[in-house]
Amino acid sequence: MNWRAVSTTAFALLMFAANSLLCRMALGAGAIDAASYSTVRIASGALMLVVIAIVRHRGMSQGIGGDWPSALYLFLYAVPFSFAYNGLTTGTGALILFGCVQATMLLAAWRSGERASAWQWGGLAIALCGLVHLLLPGLQAPPPMPALLMAVAGAAWGLYTLRGRGAGDPLLRTSGNFTRAVPLVLLVSLIGWSSMAIERKGVLLAALSGAGASALGYVAWYAAMKHLSATRAAILQLFVPILAAVAGVLVLAEPFGLRLGLATVLVLGGVALTLRKTRST
């Protein structure tokens, strides 16, 4: 990858980690219910993307991009993700989510004829060992329904990412997908109207997640996907739990111990091994 692709990928991964942090801050504090968080997140993201698209293209003469299948995958990621964290610990949820993302993308890559080398599989195994080392000591048997919801979110995000590898303007495609997803999340909020709980802090955090981390991060990720194989994209996303954990240390004053340090070394080392070997083959 050239420097622009590298910087775009790095920015997208940072925004993904920011999404996790913002969601933890909002739902963990009980500042907003899961349905409202999802709705504010997607609606604010759609608004931001449409405004940027209008400014960039001097109107919407090209129309919105994206498609309904991608919007559905976005919906099936965002809503189950929020609801799952009502019944899962952060570590359990992250392990289920990213495990399903990797499984979905690697299975799709294998079915399409994309074969990983022994070095790639080795690097992936090392990185996954780092994640398990980080998360496993805090795991408890998860409730079946929240675990299933997080698995759905992980699979949906993997499929959404794979669809982003196609041609087209990343901004127009992402704005179209977000816009189409708005009525879907609104329907969920209407169904759960009786259990709605909204505080100003929760709305602000959800809006920051949608208009900032989600909107800008997903555009960057769509752009980066043009330069990434499905295997490499799957492995790179293993950075996100580590970035989120470090953000928790810096922002939420969570402890940084030997376990987190060793996990960071394993994940970064495994990803570096995989990418270095990929460039040389």
Side-chain angles (χ1 to χ4, degrees):
M1 293 190 293
N2 57 37
W3 71 268
R4 185 173 183 179
V6 170
S7 61
T8 301
T9 302
F11 176 79
L13 296 178
L14 285 171
M15 292 298 99
F16 293 166
N19 264 326
S20 295
L21 181 64
L22 292 167
C23 187
R24 292 177 192 177
M25 293 172 66
L27 296 180
I32 191 171
D33 64 280
S36 298
Y37 184 90
S38 301
T39 299
V40 174
R41 179 185 177 188
I42 295 298
S44 60
L47 179 61
M48 172 66 77
L49 288 164
V50 169
V51 170
I52 295 175
I54 290 174
V55 172
R56 177 177 172 181
H57 296 283
R58 297 182 180 179
M60 295 293 289
S61 58
Q62 301 182 45
I64 62 173
D67 51 71
W68 280 106
S70 293
L72 180 60
Y73 289 139
L74 178 62
F75 166 79
L76 290 175
Y77 154 72
V79 174
F81 175 84
S82 298
F83 276 92
Y85 266 123
N86 282 327
L88 295 175
T89 64
T90 300
T92 302
L95 184 57
I96 295 172
L97 177 70
F98 287 96
C100 290
V101 170
Q102 310 316 312
T104 300
M105 295 188 66
L106 292 174
L107 178 61
W110 179 79
R111 290 189 62 184
S112 66
E114 184 180 310
R115 296 292 181 263
S117 68
W119 283 96
Q120 287 179 312
W121 285 116
L124 175 60
I126 292 172
L128 287 175
C129 284
L131 285 181
V132 170
H133 175 73
L134 173 64
L135 301 173
L136 190 59
L139 291 179
Q140 299 177 354
M145 185 53 66
L148 177 61
L149 288 172
M150 190 60 83
V152 170
W157 176 248
L159 293 171
Y160 182 81
T161 297
L162 290 169
R163 290 188 65 85
R165 301 177 66 196
D169 187 311
L171 175 59
L172 292 178
R173 294 186 64 182
T174 309
S175 63
N177 292 334
F178 267 72
T179 301
R180 289 180 174 88
V182 169
L184 301 178
V185 293
L186 280 174
L187 179 60
V188 175
S189 287
L190 289 175
I191 293 173
W193 182 269
S194 61
S195 60
M196 182 177 294
I198 300 178
E199 297 178 6
R200 182 180 301 176
K201 176 183 177 181
V203 173
L204 176 60
L205 291 172
L208 286 174
S209 175
S214 296
L216 301 180
Y218 293 4
V219 169
W221 187 240
Y222 253 178
M225 282 300 296
K226 294 181 179 181
H227 307 281
L228 299 173
S229 67
T231 301
R232 179 182 284 185
I235 294 171
L236 279 170
Q237 290 184 86
L238 291 173
F239 275 120
V240 177
I242 295 297
L243 292 172
V246 172
V249 171
L250 298 177
V251 178
L252 303 178
E254 297 176 350
F256 187 95
L258 178 62
R259 181 165 61 94
L260 179 56
L262 180 57
T264 301
V265 171
L266 288 173
V267 172
L268 297 183
V271 173
L273 175 65
T274 301
L275 296 181
R276 180 179 181 183
K277 190 62 183 179
T278 300
R279 286 195 299 267
S280 63
T281 56

